[in-house]
Amino acid sequence: MIKNIVLDVGRVLVAWQPKQLWKEWGFSDETVEVLAKALFDSGVWNETDRGVLSDEEFLELAVHQAPEYEKEIVHFWNNVDKAIWQFPYVKEWIGAMKKAGYHVYILSNYGSWTYEKTKDNALNFLEDVDGAIFSYQVKLIKPDEEIFYALFEKYGLHAEECVFLDDLPANIEGAKAVGMRGIVFKGLEDALVELGKLGVKIEM
């Protein structure tokens, strides 16, 4: 029986749109692709999510990937919160889950710098949930099995009583590997349907 609903943050509860932001800033398509490769495809971003890099170390490694774009990389780092905003359904959805009797937890790959920039606005739903683990806090990232065990241990959860929603299939596979149910998040309406198939009825 499912008692706990565990939610990812990026692209589930908040938008994560760096490319859109860069285009709004007037960056060329070429610049957008170079920045995406330097920041995300290189693995540097994963390490800041893991919490093993200082801000200075992150910027040094990121700029090393594309030194001619140092100004753009630094500008984005200082304004990363502008690529993140809360989806309009979030507060109502969490409230509906709680009203239905479920405990709600957060499990997200998220860096400390980004957290500090967004905790009071895009992440203000944290006051409504039963607990949260962000990757930088435990030096682990999804889909590593250890981060799921960290969640269980911190909050006394049992895997078979949890369902996890994440936009990335690899992370759902990680959750299933430790005994959780999993749903690939494709939008709120689809999530409500998939939760219903597991016997989790949420009225909104």
Side-chain angles (χ1 to χ4, degrees), residues 91 106 115 119 123-132 134:
K91 289 276 192 173
I106 301 300
Y115 175 82
K119 62 184 175 67
L123 303 185
N124 66 8
F125 55 79
L126 292 173
E127 63 190 13
D128 302 322
V129 302
D130 295 284
F134 291 93

Side-chain angles (χ1 to χ4, degrees), residues 79-167:
N79 294 276
V80 64
D81 54 303
K82 292 181 173 59
I84 301 170
W85 60 90
Q86 187 179 126
F87 292 132
Y89 56 75
V90 169
K91 289 276 192 173
E92 180 185 0
W93 187 27
I94 291 175
M97 289 186 280
K98 299 282 287 181
K99 185 177 180 180
Y102 296 97
H103 298 291
V104 181
Y105 298 91
I106 301 300
L107 185 64
S108 177
N109 288 354
Y110 218 91
S112 61
W113 173 262
T114 310
Y115 175 82
E116 290 300 325
K117 297 279 281 185
T118 57
K119 62 184 175 67
D120 295 326
N121 39 71
L123 303 185
N124 66 8
F125 55 79
L126 292 173
E127 63 190 13
D128 302 322
V129 302
D130 295 284
I133 284 183
F134 291 93
S135 56
Y136 79 90
Q137 298 169 331
V138 292
K139 305 297 190 289
L140 298 165
I141 60 172
K142 300 174 294 182
D144 296 346
E145 293 182 9
E146 289 80 4
I147 195 170
F148 297 101
Y149 290 125
L151 180 74
F152 302 156
E153 181 177 356
K154 182 173 183 179
Y155 295 108
L157 307 182
H158 300 287
E160 65 274 12
E161 296 176 347
C162 300
V163 58
F164 181 51
L165 290 86
D166 193 295
D167 65 305

Side-chain angles (χ1 to χ4, degrees), residues 1 11 38 47 53-54 74 84 90 101 112 135 142 167 178 202:
M1 178 181 177
R11 300 192 178 98
E47 295 312 299
L53 297 176
S54 68
V74 171
I84 301 170
V90 169
S112 61
S135 56
K142 300 174 294 182
D167 65 305
V178 300
I202 308 297

